[in-house]
Amino acid sequence: MKRFKHTFVTLVTALVLASFAVFGLAGCDQGEPYKPSDKTPTVTPPTIGQAGTLRVGVDANNRPLAGVDSGKLVGFDVDAAAQLADALGLKLVVVDVGGGKEAVAAALSSGRVDIVMG
């Protein structure tokens, strides 16, 4: 009975992992990257520093939140920033501000970025 239980648990685990792989890969499209349609901006200066653009700072050494892949900033923070910019009707610029409170504070106070994620 114990061996049957172990075999059953192993089989169910394998099926669950296989289904995640199949359904997870089904959503991966290697075509053109997502490009939101142009919308009317809902936020303007002085709330943001540059009209029509949301400048978001991330720490590119903080995977999976942000990192560099094929020369582009990617990760959860980058995806969330893209959704936020789209919701506000703004274009997105992602800036690697590095890590640490001092780097974040400097990027915000200098006006290099509007917000920092991470």
Side-chain angles (χ1 to χ4, degrees):
M1 183 67 168
K2 187 175 183 179
R3 183 176 176 160
F4 172 75
K5 195 178 212 179
H6 177 69
T7 304
F8 180 75
V9 169
T10 303
L11 179 63
V12 168
T13 303
L15 287 172
V16 168
L17 291 174
S19 67
F20 281 139
V22 169
F23 291 117
L25 292 176
C28 296
D29 180 13
Q30 298 300 321
E32 291 295 316
Y34 170 72
K35 186 167 183 160
S37 60
D38 290 336
K39 297 180 182 175
T40 303
T42 59
V43 182
T44 59
T47 305
I48 56 175
Q50 183 178 348
T53 303
L54 179 65
R55 297 168 302 150
V56 177
V58 298
D59 177 4
N61 294 314
N62 193 14
R63 285 190 177 261
L65 298 177
V68 178
D69 187 20
S70 300
K72 292 176 58 177
L73 286 168
V74 296
F76 295 131
D77 285 346
V78 177
D79 293 342
Q83 289 293 317
L84 178 61
D86 186 40
L88 296 172
L90 302 170
K91 302 224 182 295
L92 175 65
V93 173
V94 182
V95 179
D96 179 12
V97 296
K101 292 179 182 177
E102 296 82 19
V104 169
L108 288 168
S109 65
S110 70
R112 250 178 73 205
V113 296
D114 300 310
I115 62 171
V116 175
M117 309 214 30

